[in-house]
Amino acid sequence: MIQIAILGLGTVGTGVAKVVAENARQIERKLGEPLQVKSILVRHFKNGPFRQLMTDDFGKIEADDDIRVVVETIGGVDAAYEYTKRALSAGKHVVTANKQLVAERGCELLALARRKNVSYLFEASVGGGIPVLHPLTQCMAANRIDEVYGVLNGTTNYILTRMVRTGAFFSDALREAQAKGYAEADPTADVEGIDTGRKICILADLAFGYQIDPEQVPTEGIGKLSLRDVRIAQRAGYRVKLLGRAVRLPGGGRTAYVAPHLIPEDNPISGVEDVFNAVMIRGNATGEVMFYGRGAGELPTASACVADVMECLQARPRREEISWSADTAGFEGPGELKTRHYFRIEGSLTDAAMAFGQVEVLSEDGETAFLTEPLSGDSAARQSRLLNVLACMRVLDG
Ligand code: HSE
């Protein structure tokens, strides 16, 4: 019998307990032994099917040699960081869905895990139930990874989809996402792109091998996005999606940023709707490879956590592939990246042409909406400084 503990009993913690119970037979067949949740750390005891397993004392879990794997689903950094360090130091494997902790302290926690000869795994931290970190680090290991981008936040994608498809109000769509267990405890992290920022950092850390700190990453969410721009874009054959994007720069540096983009309809990312996420990884040998699935929610996220638990227990777990250098040098802002830009301005086509030369007009309905030729973010900002800009987004050019 292999015993594990779960820290926290929110959406993901509950999902992990359910998956371990409901899929017990499949899991046992693969592990060769039954897997059992022995303890669940909670702050407040509550009634329910897991009542007998609850404790509010982490020290008991830490001292229990029968517990081989700890699944941290507390979220945030403070207590989660403290308990993760103590669990690893006690020689237990740790598995998590906590993107904030991995993005901010992952490098240090991975080093501690290596010193203790245990695993620290976090497949569920990016893309929920989508296997993406494992393929990135293992199946694509023979590539130089040049770019990673994707729809990485289920809540904002759900909100955008509901607003566009059914005309739902932002606040109602957000409430629905919260009720379905997709949103963060503080949904500002979803709406303002912070959650996407943490996930693109983790992907970039693994893809490029160097730490990118979330606070280095320019981040713009969907809070200021207007449905008017979404509709203009749609009529012109584009979908608007919040993307996290990380690119290896020609000089050897790296950049990453988060912002809403216009996605051409022939790019499969444009069709990613509801809570679904998709991650595109461009390797120099593979070209683009896309991963698609449910990016949030109880059971999809738990599926990735429990698979990591099972991997920790394998005879030869992956440890070396899942690491990166703490060196943050070489990070640059995305200002030099060239793409077409979408603008909606209060002004005429003549104003647009004076600022940008040739443009592709998308709408002249009182205001002017247009696409520029490919140009860097810095040039777009410089050339538009005399215009009254109502909206500006990059286009994801292939
Ligand atoms: N709040 C996150 C999302 C949860 O909506 O994608 C999964 O990381």
Side-chain angles (χ1 to χ4, degrees), residues 11-291:
T11 302
V12 182
T14 305
V16 170
K18 283 185 188 168
V19 168
V20 170
E22 285 170 23
N23 293 349
R25 231 157 1 126
Q26 292 91 311
I27 294 171
E28 177 177 351
R29 209 173 49 237
K30 286 170 190 156
L31 284 179
E33 278 181 82
L35 184 71
Q36 188 192 50
V37 178
K38 185 171 185 190
S39 288
I40 302 177
L41 183 72
V42 292
R43 257 198 310 201
H44 306 291
F45 289 83
K46 45 192 170 196
N47 288 328
F50 307 116
R51 179 72 182 80
Q52 298 305 318
L53 307 177
M54 292 180 196
T55 173
D56 58 2
D57 182 358
F58 177 73
K60 283 195 184 138
I61 294 173
E62 185 181 24
D64 187 337
D65 289 336
D66 291 339
I67 293 175
R68 291 171 60 188
V69 187
V70 169
V71 184
E72 182 271 300
T73 70
I74 299 172
V77 168
D78 305 333
Y81 175 56
E82 169 71 18
Y83 294 157
T84 299
K85 273 200 306 190
R86 284 169 59 182
L88 292 170
S89 301
K92 299 179 193 307
H93 306 288
V94 177
V95 163
T96 190
N98 185 340
K99 46 264 156 140
Q100 183 179 2
L101 184 58
V102 177
E104 293 180 14
R105 303 294 180 97
C107 193
E108 170 197 337
L109 293 169
L110 282 164
L112 173 60
R114 266 197 306 281
R115 285 199 299 279
K116 293 290 170 183
N117 205 25
V118 288
S119 296
Y120 181 52
L121 296 180
F122 40 85
E123 181 63 65
S125 66
V126 178
I130 310 172
V132 61
L133 302 186
H134 192 137
L136 168 63
T137 53
Q138 195 160 36
C139 314
M140 296 182 73
N143 285 260
R144 182 192 68 227
I145 305 296
D146 291 325
E147 182 170 357
V148 184
Y149 64 87
V151 173
L152 302 174
N153 182 268
T155 300
T156 44
N157 207 41
Y158 182 85
I159 293 172
L160 282 178
T161 306
R162 294 278 294 122
M163 287 173 68
V164 173
R165 268 213 217 129
T166 67
F169 287 115
F170 182 94
S171 51
D172 292 337
L174 172 58
R175 248 194 310 278
E176 285 172 29
Q178 287 176 298
K180 287 171 185 276
Y182 301 157
E184 296 302 297
D186 174 3
T188 318
D190 297 295
V191 173
E192 297 306 330
I194 297 162
D195 179 76
T196 299
R198 292 168 180 151
K199 291 167 177 167
I200 197 64
C201 283
I202 297 170
L203 286 164
D205 294 339
L206 290 168
F208 305 143
Y210 291 94
Q211 171 79 21
I212 295 181
D213 286 330
E215 62 265 30
Q216 293 179 293
V217 174
T219 298
E220 184 189 330
I222 62 164
K224 295 198 193 107
L225 191 62
S226 156
L227 213 46
R228 188 166 160 72
D229 297 305
V230 174
R231 296 209 191 286
I232 292 171
Q234 205 154 332
R235 277 201 302 272
Y238 298 86
R239 296 279 183 273
V240 176
K241 300 280 170 202
L242 181 65
L243 290 190
R245 186 172 181 219
V247 183
R248 183 189 294 277
L249 299 170
R254 303 161 291 287
T255 193
Y257 67 99
V258 177
H261 282 67
L262 267 68
I263 321 274
E265 269 168 5
D266 60 2
N267 183 319
I269 291 269
S270 73
V272 176
E273 303 221 302
D274 286 315
V275 71
F276 285 87
N277 284 190
V279 186
M280 194 75 87
I281 303 178
R282 184 157 53 84
N284 68 337
T286 56
E288 287 196 328
V289 180
M290 180 166 150
F291 301 86

